[in-house]
């Protein structure tokens, strides 16, 4: 279609501000962005829609327009909702670069323009395929006939013989045609997508998992934020198509790009539905952080509870706080110093929705029970927990169940505090995350957890690998989980507890790390904060003599020491564990004491050895 045709459509509400002589340019697609530099997402011929959130001053217009012109876009349509009249410096920059500029009336949604352009472009380029897109558009509308993303993908299968799935950045399946993807395969595709996006590859990305070739199309939110291209990719959905798009004609590629734009409209609808919950969480947490009176916080919680727990009948929920943060090795990784909090907020919402499964206990979208705010560079979730029903075989009355994660792992299934967690990196590791997810599900099938609510390791078990692939070597995601509290008075402590747990997680190796409240009552809390040189000197002084002796004599003194301490100094239990005679064990312990000058009958020396082994 031509740019001129856009002006002739009254429903679009476009007003031409410059570039009349360029109105015969061909429009090949549409893209919505508020990134300062969207060049990596442009292929030429797009109508770019922008709310101008990237503009902080008059000097920003020239570089933005220069990037668009250099990418060969057809034109720029700027929304009036944010700033009112379009700034004169933007008009002048577009005139210098001969880029047609339109003003979009504040009452016209960008989604309306997107749908119109997709329909028209598909109609010109794809002929009979355009009918499919139009049918998809009708299915995306609200009402009894609306089919949502599933309807779109079913038509891709029936009309174009394409099997496709919409996946979240963690590999959670949002919609699909035919049988669901195995969890491990979906996680692997999400990891490959994030790796390709991080590397700046042009979509669609092609990958092979378990011998099957897939083409991955990013589904980008219609409203961009200033988090930067690399950060924004971490929150993108993706359309995974079981086919090799490298063999496709241009018309079919255009059609699939149009389909991703229609799915993005559905994503925006779901995102908008979270606005009220985000605002409620923001208000509550701001009161808590400001030290407001408990009565004021409790009143706000009473307003929030029915929204976060639809159908709540008088019961007062317990609450849990989860804090997440993304840290980049280089500041420019977030796009010129832009605020990356919206991205980590979207990621935390996704992690919590994934933990809850496809629906909450009362049915419906599990996202209806997710409330995440962002304060500074942190995303903070306020998670409501319902009291468990009393009855034979049920937990005590004060035990609570999380509505956001009915499949939470029992405390006994989580790794022991301080246990080694090997760092996960690379998209290939995503292929193993399905097994981790299955283990989480198996553990959840047991009896009720002794420690109620969300568990840090359970939240990240299935998503570590894909998120690590997206973060690469330049970023880290850390997460902390508080204990459950039953009143407004406890929320301030829960917030600080979650933040402190996140700092403990940040002291560990790995791209994606988590820590829970149970780790704050252990020596594990102190170990990550011991300086590296002090740790090395302390462990070398106690353990190096034993390591040297083991190396020369194969005496296994280190293994003996670990077993002796683990058996609380019991000679008989330790000897039985090591399959040794007690006299042999006494000889080895005596050798340890001789080499180190310590006495393993003294509590202080036992403690020193214990800490040295933990820090080594």
């Amino acid at each position: 279609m031509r740019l001129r045709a856009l002006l002739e459509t009254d429903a679009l509400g476009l007003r031409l501000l410059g570039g009349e002589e360029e109105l015969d340019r061909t429009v090949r697609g549409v893209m919505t962005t508020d990134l300062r530099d969207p060049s990596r997402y442009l292929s030429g011929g797009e109508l770019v829609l922008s709310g101008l959130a990237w503009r902080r001053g008059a000097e920003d217009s020239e570089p933005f327009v220069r990037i668009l012109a250099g990418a060969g876009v057809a034109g720029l349509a700027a929304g009036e909702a944010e700033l009112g009249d379009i700034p004169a410096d933007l008009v002048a920059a577009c005139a210098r670069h001969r880029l047609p500029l339109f003003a979009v009336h504040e009452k016209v949604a960008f989604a309306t323009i997107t749908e119109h352009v997709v329909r028209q472009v598909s109609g010109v380029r794809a002929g009979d395929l355009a009918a499919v897109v139009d049918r998809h558009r009708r299915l995306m509308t609200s009402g009894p006939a609306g089919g949502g993303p599933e309807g779109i993908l079913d038509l891709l299968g029936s009309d174009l013989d394409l099997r496709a799935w919409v996946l979240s950045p963690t590999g959670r399946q949002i919609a699909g045609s035919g049988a669901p993807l195995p969890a491990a395969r979906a996680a692997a595709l999400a990891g490959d997508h994030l790796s390709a996006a991080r590397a700046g590859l042009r979509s669609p990305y092609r990958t092979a998992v378990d011998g099957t070739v897939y083409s991955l199309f990013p589904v980008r939110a219609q409203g961009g934020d200033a988090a930067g291209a690399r950060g924004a990719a971490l929150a993108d959905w993706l359309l995974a198509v079981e086919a090799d798009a490298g063999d496709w004609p241009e018309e079919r590629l255009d059609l699939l790009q149009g389909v991703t734009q229609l799915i993005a409209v559905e994503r925006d609808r779901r995102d908008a539905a979270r606005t009220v919950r985000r605002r409620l969480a923001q208000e509550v947490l701001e009161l808590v952080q400001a030290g407001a009176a408990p009565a004021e916080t409790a009143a706000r919680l009473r307003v929030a509870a029915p929204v976060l727990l639809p159908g709540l009948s008088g019961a007062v929920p317990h609450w849990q706080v989860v804090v997440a943060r993304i840290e980049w090795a280089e500041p420019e990784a977030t796009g010129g110093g832009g605020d990356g909090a919206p991205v980590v907020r979207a990621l935390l919402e996704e992690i919590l929705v994934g933990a809850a499964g496809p629906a909450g206990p009362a049915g419906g979208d599990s996202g209806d029970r997710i409330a995440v705010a962002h304060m500074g560079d942190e995303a903070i979730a306020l998670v409501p927990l319902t009291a468990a029903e009393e009855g034979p075989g049920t937990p005590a009355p004060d035990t609570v169940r999380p509505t956001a994660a009915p499949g939470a792992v029992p405390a006994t299934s989580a790794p022991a505090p301080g246990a080694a967690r090997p760092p996960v990196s690379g998209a290939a590791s995503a292929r193993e995350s399905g097994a981790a997810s299955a283990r989480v599900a198996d553990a959840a099938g047991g009896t009720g957890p002794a420690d109620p609510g969300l568990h840090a390791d359970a939240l990240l078990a299935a998503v570590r690998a894909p998120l690590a692939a997206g973060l690469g070597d330049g970023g880290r995601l850390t997460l902390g989980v508080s204990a459950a509290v039953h009143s407004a008075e406890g929320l301030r402590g829960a917030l600080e507890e979650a933040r402190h747990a996140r700092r403990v997680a940040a002291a560990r190796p790995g791209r994606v790390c988590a820590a829970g409240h149970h780790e704050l009552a252990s020596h594990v809390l102190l170990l990550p904060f011991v300086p590296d040189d002090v740790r090395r000197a302390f462990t070398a002084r106690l353990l190096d003599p034993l390591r040297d002796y083991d190396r020369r004599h194969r005496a296994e003194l280190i293994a003996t020491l670990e077993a002796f301490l683990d058996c609380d100094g019991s000679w008989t239990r330790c000897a039985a564990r090591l399959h040794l005679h007690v006299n042999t064990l006494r000889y080895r312990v005596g050798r340890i004491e001789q080499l180190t000058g310590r006495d393993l009958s003294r509590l202080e020396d036992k403690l020193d050895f214990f800490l040295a082994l933990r820090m080594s």
Side-chain angles (χ1 to χ4, degrees), residues 48 60 64 77 79 112 126 234 241 261 337 374 397 399 413 450 457 489 491 501 551 584 588:
V48 174
D60 293 334
F64 181 80
T112 301
L234 285 167
V241 181
Q261 291 172 341
H374 65 77
T399 299
S413 67
D457 285 303
E489 289 87 343
L491 272 181
R551 199 160 37 244
T584 303
R588 288 189 182 181

Side-chain angles (χ1 to χ4, degrees), residues 19 70 80 120 139 248 282 297 303 308 357 436 518 590:
E80 296 180 324
Q120 297 302 317
L139 285 170
W248 286 1
Q282 193 81 32
T297 305
V303 174
L308 300 179
H518 61 282

